[in-house]
Amino acid sequence: MTTTSKLLRVALAVDLPESDCRLIERLEPRVELLRDHTLYRPARWDADWEGDPAFTRTPAQQAAYDSLLAGADALFGIPDVQPARLAATVRANPALRWVHTTAAGGGGQVRAAGLDEAELTRVAFTTSAGVHGSTLAEFALFGILAGAKNLRRLESDQAAKQWPARWEMRHLDEMTVLIVGLGGIGAATAARFKACGSTVWGTSRSGRPVDNVDRIVPLDDIVAAAGEVDAIVVTLPGTAATEKLIGADLFAAVRPGTLLTNVGRGTVIDEDALLTALNEGRIGFAALDVFATEPLPSDSALWHHPNVLASPHTAALSRQESTRIARLFARNATALLDGAPMANTVDTVEFY
């Protein structure tokens, strides 16, 4: 998408620290960032894009917020992080040309907005993919280490003040780790496991070499490959093509005690099949930051399974997140204004 405008009017649709707003304007002076911090849901923590749900705009504030969005060429964030609000904004603002989502998996939010083909053609959508790569890669490493060192047993023995006979732990430099998805998160994960001495395999559609990956596995061969590794790290986004990709066939193929962590999207794993694999010992430990339904329902067996570590989709958060996204947004704004390709453009067929 190209533009002949020498100025890009961008409305802040979610709150962003003022220091990061000024950073965007400094990095790309042709951006006019429209904002009023009194109109956004207050952040409860760093990069809390949804904001405090208890906040309610007055009618005057809502009118001002809507007017802000209606006068923009582009949006930083999805309005209130609600797909329905995105749809309403796209339809109320025929001049809107670009929306940047603060989520790495923002394609799913765009899909949920139910935009028609003309609207998807008119507006370019980009995501924050890659911004969370280092933080999620650390959690992936932590999750496999927690399984390798039997964190649950250590916690149980300590709580019971029990000093058992010494027992053997598993070591990363003796492991082959399969990374399912070699995008930004997967590549960052590969670098960390390689630094720990692991043999690293990874799935790829393109088949192109990736740094720190010893073997590229075609996605069609994932089941066979899963039976040859010690640990599996899932980094894939949630799409129709990836839904329950990690399911009963794959779990039936793994070696007993295989370790698993998911830092992609919860829908990629068939949770019923995972529970069966956990109960049968084929999966020895699972560290999960994401789930098919979030929040994880209180009646889910994953809550109390002794070999599951459940994280409330928080592994990506860091103090640097908003600044990293601001820098990415500024680079994409420059690309748009110069008629160059933008990074992380959403595929509006698969919404990835």
Side-chain angles (χ1 to χ4, degrees), residues 220-234:
D220 290 343
D221 296 340
I222 187 175
V223 171
E228 302 179 49
V229 302
D230 303 287
I232 300 171
V233 176
V234 180

PDB file of all heavy atoms in Angstrom, residues 220-234:
ATOM      1  N   ASP A 220       4.405 -31.111   7.198  1.00  0.00           N
ATOM      2  CA  ASP A 220       3.735 -32.392   6.941  1.00  0.00           C
ATOM      3  C   ASP A 220       4.417 -33.554   7.652  1.00  0.00           C
ATOM      4  O   ASP A 220       3.808 -34.619   7.832  1.00  0.00           O
ATOM      5  CB  ASP A 220       3.689 -32.680   5.440  1.00  0.00           C
ATOM      6  CG  ASP A 220       2.735 -31.754   4.692  1.00  0.00           C
ATOM      7  OD1 ASP A 220       1.892 -31.119   5.356  1.00  0.00           O
ATOM      8  OD2 ASP A 220       2.839 -31.672   3.455  1.00  0.00           O
ATOM      9  N   ASP A 221       5.664 -33.372   8.058  1.00  0.00           N
ATOM     10  CA  ASP A 221       6.425 -34.450   8.707  1.00  0.00           C
ATOM     11  C   ASP A 221       6.507 -34.275  10.213  1.00  0.00           C
ATOM     12  O   ASP A 221       7.310 -34.921  10.885  1.00  0.00           O
ATOM     13  CB  ASP A 221       7.849 -34.496   8.136  1.00  0.00           C
ATOM     14  CG  ASP A 221       7.868 -34.841   6.658  1.00  0.00           C
ATOM     15  OD1 ASP A 221       6.867 -35.404   6.174  1.00  0.00           O
ATOM     16  OD2 ASP A 221       8.876 -34.537   5.994  1.00  0.00           O
ATOM     17  N   ILE A 222       5.655 -33.389  10.774  1.00  0.00           N
ATOM     18  CA  ILE A 222       5.779 -33.053  12.183  1.00  0.00           C
ATOM     19  C   ILE A 222       5.528 -34.243  13.105  1.00  0.00           C
ATOM     20  O   ILE A 222       6.184 -34.406  14.128  1.00  0.00           O
ATOM     21  CB  ILE A 222       4.835 -31.876  12.539  1.00  0.00           C
ATOM     22  CG1 ILE A 222       5.090 -31.404  13.967  1.00  0.00           C
ATOM     23  CG2 ILE A 222       3.387 -32.232  12.342  1.00  0.00           C
ATOM     24  CD1 ILE A 222       4.285 -30.170  14.344  1.00  0.00           C
ATOM     25  N   VAL A 223       4.588 -35.119  12.736  1.00  0.00           N
ATOM     26  CA  VAL A 223       4.281 -36.270  13.604  1.00  0.00           C
ATOM     27  C   VAL A 223       5.484 -37.199  13.702  1.00  0.00           C
ATOM     28  O   VAL A 223       5.878 -37.631  14.798  1.00  0.00           O
ATOM     29  CB  VAL A 223       3.031 -37.018  13.089  1.00  0.00           C
ATOM     30  CG1 VAL A 223       2.852 -38.343  13.850  1.00  0.00           C
ATOM     31  CG2 VAL A 223       1.786 -36.142  13.258  1.00  0.00           C
ATOM     32  N   ALA A 224       6.089 -37.517  12.573  1.00  0.00           N
ATOM     33  CA  ALA A 224       7.265 -38.388  12.592  1.00  0.00           C
ATOM     34  C   ALA A 224       8.402 -37.749  13.377  1.00  0.00           C
ATOM     35  O   ALA A 224       9.088 -38.423  14.170  1.00  0.00           O
ATOM     36  CB  ALA A 224       7.707 -38.695  11.165  1.00  0.00           C
ATOM     37  N   ALA A 225       8.609 -36.445  13.177  1.00  0.00           N
ATOM     38  CA  ALA A 225       9.696 -35.755  13.886  1.00  0.00           C
ATOM     39  C   ALA A 225       9.447 -35.730  15.388  1.00  0.00           C
ATOM     40  O   ALA A 225      10.384 -35.874  16.189  1.00  0.00           O
ATOM     41  CB  ALA A 225       9.836 -34.337  13.348  1.00  0.00           C
ATOM     42  N   ALA A 226       8.187 -35.580  15.790  1.00  0.00           N
ATOM     43  CA  ALA A 226       7.864 -35.523  17.213  1.00  0.00           C
ATOM     44  C   ALA A 226       8.261 -36.805  17.938  1.00  0.00           C
ATOM     45  O   ALA A 226       8.544 -36.787  19.142  1.00  0.00           O
ATOM     46  CB  ALA A 226       6.375 -35.249  17.403  1.00  0.00           C
ATOM     47  N   GLY A 227       8.287 -37.902  17.225  1.00  0.00           N
ATOM     48  CA  GLY A 227       8.667 -39.172  17.834  1.00  0.00           C
ATOM     49  C   GLY A 227      10.162 -39.346  18.016  1.00  0.00           C
ATOM     50  O   GLY A 227      10.608 -40.354  18.582  1.00  0.00           O
ATOM     51  N   GLU A 228      10.953 -38.365  17.547  1.00  0.00           N
ATOM     52  CA  GLU A 228      12.407 -38.472  17.627  1.00  0.00           C
ATOM     53  C   GLU A 228      13.039 -37.438  18.543  1.00  0.00           C
ATOM     54  O   GLU A 228      14.267 -37.365  18.648  1.00  0.00           O
ATOM     55  CB  GLU A 228      13.010 -38.326  16.230  1.00  0.00           C
ATOM     56  CG  GLU A 228      12.515 -39.345  15.217  1.00  0.00           C
ATOM     57  CD  GLU A 228      13.134 -39.110  13.849  1.00  0.00           C
ATOM     58  OE1 GLU A 228      14.367 -38.952  13.785  1.00  0.00           O
ATOM     59  OE2 GLU A 228      12.379 -39.066  12.854  1.00  0.00           O
ATOM     60  N   VAL A 229      12.238 -36.629  19.218  1.00  0.00           N
ATOM     61  CA  VAL A 229      12.793 -35.527  20.005  1.00  0.00           C
ATOM     62  C   VAL A 229      12.480 -35.714  21.490  1.00  0.00           C
ATOM     63  O   VAL A 229      11.673 -36.558  21.888  1.00  0.00           O
ATOM     64  CB  VAL A 229      12.250 -34.168  19.521  1.00  0.00           C
ATOM     65  CG1 VAL A 229      12.583 -33.954  18.047  1.00  0.00           C
ATOM     66  CG2 VAL A 229      10.737 -34.052  19.736  1.00  0.00           C
ATOM     67  N   ASP A 230      13.128 -34.877  22.294  1.00  0.00           N
ATOM     68  CA  ASP A 230      12.938 -34.924  23.746  1.00  0.00           C
ATOM     69  C   ASP A 230      11.976 -33.856  24.238  1.00  0.00           C
ATOM     70  O   ASP A 230      11.390 -33.993  25.314  1.00  0.00           O
ATOM     71  CB  ASP A 230      14.290 -34.733  24.444  1.00  0.00           C
ATOM     72  CG  ASP A 230      15.312 -35.755  24.011  1.00  0.00           C
ATOM     73  OD1 ASP A 230      15.180 -36.918  24.422  1.00  0.00           O
ATOM     74  OD2 ASP A 230      16.230 -35.392  23.246  1.00  0.00           O
ATOM     75  N   ALA A 231      11.848 -32.790  23.466  1.00  0.00           N
ATOM     76  CA  ALA A 231      11.015 -31.670  23.893  1.00  0.00           C
ATOM     77  C   ALA A 231      10.424 -30.982  22.672  1.00  0.00           C
ATOM     78  O   ALA A 231      11.038 -30.950  21.602  1.00  0.00           O
ATOM     79  CB  ALA A 231      11.828 -30.672  24.721  1.00  0.00           C
ATOM     80  N   ILE A 232       9.241 -30.400  22.864  1.00  0.00           N
ATOM     81  CA  ILE A 232       8.532 -29.702  21.780  1.00  0.00           C
ATOM     82  C   ILE A 232       8.130 -28.328  22.287  1.00  0.00           C
ATOM     83  O   ILE A 232       7.539 -28.194  23.368  1.00  0.00           O
ATOM     84  CB  ILE A 232       7.278 -30.493  21.347  1.00  0.00           C
ATOM     85  CG1 ILE A 232       7.662 -31.885  20.834  1.00  0.00           C
ATOM     86  CG2 ILE A 232       6.500 -29.722  20.283  1.00  0.00           C
ATOM     87  CD1 ILE A 232       6.477 -32.797  20.602  1.00  0.00           C
ATOM     88  N   VAL A 233       8.461 -27.313  21.509  1.00  0.00           N
ATOM     89  CA  VAL A 233       8.078 -25.939  21.825  1.00  0.00           C
ATOM     90  C   VAL A 233       7.144 -25.446  20.723  1.00  0.00           C
ATOM     91  O   VAL A 233       7.502 -25.454  19.548  1.00  0.00           O
ATOM     92  CB  VAL A 233       9.308 -25.012  21.909  1.00  0.00           C
ATOM     93  CG1 VAL A 233       8.869 -23.565  22.144  1.00  0.00           C
ATOM     94  CG2 VAL A 233      10.252 -25.481  23.012  1.00  0.00           C
ATOM     95  N   VAL A 234       5.954 -25.011  21.088  1.00  0.00           N
ATOM     96  CA  VAL A 234       4.959 -24.528  20.123  1.00  0.00           C
ATOM     97  C   VAL A 234       4.958 -23.003  20.137  1.00  0.00           C
ATOM     98  O   VAL A 234       4.789 -22.383  21.193  1.00  0.00           O
ATOM     99  CB  VAL A 234       3.556 -25.061  20.465  1.00  0.00           C
ATOM    100  CG1 VAL A 234       2.531 -24.549  19.453  1.00  0.00           C
ATOM    101  CG2 VAL A 234       3.555 -26.583  20.500  1.00  0.00           C
TER     102      VAL A 234
END
